[in-house]
Amino acid sequence: GRRPAHPARRGPALAAAQHGVVHAAQAAGVGIAPRNLRYAESRGGLIRIHSRVWRMPGAPVTPTQQIWGAVLQVGGGTGGDAVASHESCFAARGISHVPFELVVSTGVHGNQHHEAIRVHRFGDLLPDMVEHLDGLPVTTIAGVEVPKDPSPE
């Protein structure tokens, strides 16, 4: 039979599905120890973007990548109940006339103290209020008033 991929190869594959970012818990889940993440960071093989989230150095920095990093950071790497919301929800959909900001919503018991991420805690976000855009959990915009584009038509 075929041997499973070495952990160092599984991390980049996981990150690729998330626009080049990976959470420490996800890395641990594929056999990459925290010390290996820190070592890779010290050698330029990873770039830390949040306390527990790293970016692959060749991955372009985009709003979607930044949103992925914020959702992973707030959701503890498992996603949990963390979803991109508010301005991040608009950016994930390509609505560019709304100023970009990293905003994540999480459950009432979620940690809302994350540097550079505005976190909202909710108790009433129902499953039908969340959808996935290429795997990224985002709030739906049904019933949300999207600010009008101020540019002339």
Side-chain angles (χ1 to χ4, degrees):
R2 213 168 148 205
R3 289 182 9 186
H6 186 275
R9 290 194 173 88
R10 291 193 296 256
L14 177 62
Q18 301 170 159
H19 287 251
V21 296
V22 65
H23 187 281
Q26 293 177 310
V30 296
I32 302 171
R35 72 178 180 279
N36 297 111
L37 293 171
R38 291 188 300 272
Y39 179 77
E41 179 184 8
S42 73
R43 300 292 222 176
L46 289 173
I47 299 162
R48 189 183 300 252
I49 61 170
H50 297 294
S51 65
R52 310 262 305 143
V53 178
W54 285 265
R55 174 175 66 82
M56 303 300 289
V61 177
T62 65
T64 301
Q65 181 199 70
Q66 292 173 308
I67 296 166
W68 261 111
V71 167
L72 291 172
Q73 176 68 24
V74 174
T78 63
D81 54 11
V83 298
S85 62
H86 301 78
E87 291 89 344
S88 288
C89 166
F90 295 141
R93 288 181 167 74
I95 300 171
S96 60
H97 65 274
V98 176
F100 177 64
E101 187 175 346
L102 286 177
V103 187
V104 174
S105 290
T106 189
V108 293
H109 300 294
N111 180 352
Q112 68 182 94
H113 302 289
H114 298 278
E115 190 174 327
I117 305 169
R118 192 173 88 220
V119 179
H120 291 270
R121 291 194 295 190
F122 59 83
D124 60 351
L125 190 66
L126 303 173
D128 65 343
M129 301 165 94
V130 176
E131 59 189 346
H132 291 80
L133 303 177
D134 293 324
L136 177 66
V138 299
T139 53
T140 61
I141 57 173
V144 173
E145 187 173 328
V146 179
K148 293 192 185 307
D149 186 345
S151 62
E153 296 189 25

